[in-house]
Amino acid sequence: MYNKNIYKDISSAKKKEIEKFANDYEDFLSIAKTERLAVEEIERLAKKSGFREFKKGDSVKFGDKLYFINKGKNIILYVIGFSDITEGLRILGAHIDSPRLDLKQNPLYEKKEFALFDTHYYGGIKKYQYVTTPLAIHGVVVKKDGTKIKVDIGEDPKDPVIGIPDLLIHLSADQLQKTAAKAIEGEDLDLIVGSIPLEKEDKEAVKKNILKFLKKKYDFDEEDFSSGELEVVPAGRARDFGLDSSMIASYGHDDRVCAYTSLRAMLDLEGTPKYSVCGLFVDKEEIGSYGCTGAESVFFENTVLELLHSQGKDSIYNLRKTLENTCMLSSDVNAAIDPIYASASDENNGARFNYGIVFEKYTGARGKSGASDANAEYFAKIRRVMDENDIHYQTGELGAVDKGGGGTIAHISAKYNMEVIDAGVAVLNMHSPMEIVSKADVYETYLAYKAFAKNL
Ligand code: MN
Ligand code: MN
């Protein structure tokens, strides 16, 4: 099933399954627009499928379905297999953060009788893609007494949206001489959020009116922004794309497409697997995986220790043995060959839409620098499992040599000496406000993750 177009020989039953899965995925994308919202939605779906939150002192036995949540931004699921835990795990590891704009700690200001929010972009974006497009805001403001206020504005069709202005074409003669990197500067990614002045106010009356609105609706004051995490993302639902509706257009496919398919692979796993299966959903990948909710955190290691502890086996020896015996798919997206910019990819080695899950041996840039570069022996085993389960798969790389590059969380897990390879869905327009994936690839990736979890 290597390098074959899924639609070349497809049953009508499978077409229906693809469509059903795509609808579920679009619902997930439309709710899980930030890492915090993704954790909430993953927890909700896991609970519905019989998972329970691990509590210290729990005894853990085969067949158990458990989860751990780290500070609301990182969630880890386990299905305990019938082999001893120290024989190793089968990990599906995806990230649930996506590129976006974050409000600064002191964001609100007034200029020319407009109220604006100042932002600092998060992750790699082409800044010009974020102007003149409707944006929503999600996140929390935490007050000194610990009260956590949830903010969600811009998704409900009845909600207002916010956005960043761009200079009208009529007056853009100077701007259009600049390079694309400089046409919109980072400090100019500020959002217009209001224009009505507060009555009987002379100074910063529009800003004061916005503060009054925030106080009334959310009960917080200007200085409470300083302990807030407010994230600005493209507004609106995920939608079918293409006249044949074969694709999905949405913000956040990188990497919620691999998070959702990994999650569903775990939720839909039939019977008790041989090896314990772990779904690792991490934050901060787009800014280097640092931070206590990112892949570099020892939180994951601590959850493995908790499982071993619950069985009276929590020695450092058993922890290292478990991790070394583990096999992982670093579930992350790959760059699809773009028909208009095909020369950015190598035709024989780039990923194609509708050819199934993409296995990426190496990432990195300038001579694979920064890649963990998976082992041939490991990928050979995975190929066998894919073929035995009739799963369409292909290999890919992040662009032609020296065109750029990128990274994933694979190298972080590899330091435990576990086998790991990147595997996920091919994406067009990666990191843009409207990323595109193929519905057939999404479904095939789900099947591939399930086969890996049960059969490798
Ligand atoms: Mn990614
Ligand atoms: Mn990314």
Side-chain angles (χ1 to χ4, degrees), residues 34-36 71-73 100-105 137-142 148-151 224-232 283-284 293:
T34 67
E35 66 290 342
R36 284 179 191 268
K71 297 169 180 68
K73 302 200 268 188
R100 59 176 191 256
L101 308 174
D102 285 343
L103 292 205
K104 290 191 182 187
Q105 296 320 104
I137 187 161
H138 299 281
V140 296
V141 171
V142 186
K148 194 184 282 186
I149 301 155
K150 275 192 78 175
V151 176
D224 294 322
F225 274 120
S226 64
S227 50
E229 282 182 354
L230 294 170
E231 305 177 6
V232 176
D283 180 26
K284 301 283 184 279
T293 53

Side-chain angles (χ1 to χ4, degrees), residues 351-363:
R352 284 173 285 180
F353 265 31
N354 300 329
Y355 279 70
I357 185 170
V358 188
F359 290 95
E360 192 181 14
K361 188 176 185 297
Y362 51 85
T363 57

Side-chain angles (χ1 to χ4, degrees), residues 95 99 254 285-286 430-431:
H95 67 93
D254 178 8
E285 193 274 343
E286 297 294 358
M430 199 190 292
H431 284 206

Side-chain angles (χ1 to χ4, degrees), residues 98 120 152 225 251 259 285 293 336 360 448 455:
S98 297
H120 196 136
D152 288 288
F225 274 120
Y251 163 72
E285 193 274 343
T293 53
E360 192 181 14
N455 302 112

